[in-house]
Amino acid sequence: MRLVLLGAPGAGKGTQAAFLKERHGLAHISTGDIFRYNLKNQTPLGLEAKKYMDAGELVPDEIVMKMVGEKLSEFAPDEGFMLDGFPRTVAQAEFLKSKIKLDGVILFHVPDEEIVKRLSSRAVCKDCGNVTSRLHNDKCPSCGGELYTRDDDNEATVRSRLKVYHDQTEPLEDFYRAQGLLLEVNATGHPEEVFKQVIALLSHDKD
Ligand code: AMP
């Protein structure tokens, strides 16, 4: 299966991707994670992307499309994967359409104010990368590792990222709806409840 996970930052795409990977063995391609990995290793790609990431803006299409094109070429034609954080513009979606055939696009709906609340307490484990909330944890609940806050999870940057989502990424909802690919999920509940909806939609979609 080849899926796109669509939704605002903090809608839970990464958490659901982790479930789909762990329980259904689907490979997870997150463009944000690839940029953060490059930044950590101080590569030219990472340093270029940082300028945009810190401002809550999108990295230019040409850079992202080249990077994703290379990533996709690592997969055999029959291998499944899910894309998390890509595409984010219509140009990126057109590029993806020219490269692969998608089976579905899962759209995670969460109201903006809930997103701001979630991201202001979001924390990531330094050791295992698990994403959690500071409201309930001082240490990683999965491995006990130390938690850190992403540089772009401050309220001002979160509000810019939400505006960018509404302006540049939301048009993809109609783009994929028109192709009959959009599967919509109410993502305000507990992650396990959201996952049940995802699985129900995917099994229904296969029939
Ligand atoms: P994420 O982890 O998906 O929230 O991505 C973090 C940041 O990486 C975004 O705010 C953008 O600056 C950049 N980024 C990730 N994916 C893309 C993409 N598909 N197009 C442009 N910029 C991206």
Side-chain angles (χ1 to χ4, degrees):
M1 230 183 205
R2 293 182 163 191
L3 303 172
V4 163
L5 309 186
L6 191 64
K13 302 184 298 293
T15 302
Q16 297 301 317
F19 288 163
L20 281 164
K21 181 175 176 181
E22 182 191 297
R23 302 176 195 181
H24 297 272
L26 214 50
H28 177 199
I29 305 171
S30 156
T31 42
D33 284 351
I34 301 175
F35 284 133
R36 280 183 290 278
Y37 175 83
N38 275 277
L39 187 54
K40 203 170 146 198
N41 291 290
Q42 302 274 297
T43 70
L45 175 66
L47 295 172
E48 177 65 16
K50 179 176 163 51
K51 295 189 276 190
Y52 303 96
M53 293 168 81
D54 283 349
E57 289 167 9
L58 294 185
V59 177
D61 282 341
E62 311 73 65
I63 298 178
V64 189
M65 293 186 314
K66 181 168 179 287
M67 180 178 93
V68 171
E70 284 167 10
K71 190 81 203 162
L72 293 179
S73 67
E74 294 171 11
F75 288 84
D78 59 346
E79 257 180 298
F81 53 77
M82 62 204 144
L83 286 157
D84 160 10
F86 184 91
R88 266 174 150 103
T89 63
V90 173
Q92 291 179 15
E94 295 282 10
F95 168 82
L96 186 64
K97 195 167 177 224
S98 74
K99 294 272 172 200
I100 61 160
K101 186 185 165 301
L102 284 172
D103 297 298
V105 175
I106 308 175
L107 171 61
F108 297 91
H109 283 288
V110 179
D112 283 7
E113 286 316 307
E114 166 80 17
I115 297 271
V116 174
K117 228 191 312 172
R118 277 187 191 183
L119 292 190
S120 63
S121 60
R122 178 161 81 172
V124 185
C125 175
K126 276 189 179 160
D127 295 335
C128 73
N130 183 30
V131 178
T132 183
S133 165
R134 286 196 191 275
L135 294 180
H136 313 292
N137 307 288
D138 313 323
K139 296 269 177 208
C140 173
S142 166
C143 76
E146 202 182 322
L147 299 176
Y148 74 96
T149 300
R150 269 173 53 170
D151 287 344
D152 56 356
D153 277 351
N154 62 79
E155 182 166 346
T157 311
V158 168
R159 295 229 179 247
S160 316
R161 287 158 69 205
L162 276 171
K163 180 165 176 1
V164 166
Y165 181 80
H166 292 307
D167 293 348
Q168 300 193 55
T169 310
E170 221 163 59
L172 297 186
E173 298 178 10
D174 280 342
F175 179 90
Y176 286 125
R177 194 176 281 119
Q179 294 170 46
L181 286 171
L182 201 69
L183 306 167
E184 302 189 56
V185 170
N186 170 355
T188 49
H190 189 278
E192 290 290 351
E193 288 304 318
V194 176
F195 189 61
K196 276 189 198 149
Q197 288 183 61
V198 169
I199 293 303
L201 278 171
L202 289 178
S203 25
H204 196 248
D205 197 45
K206 262 195 285 180
D207 301 338

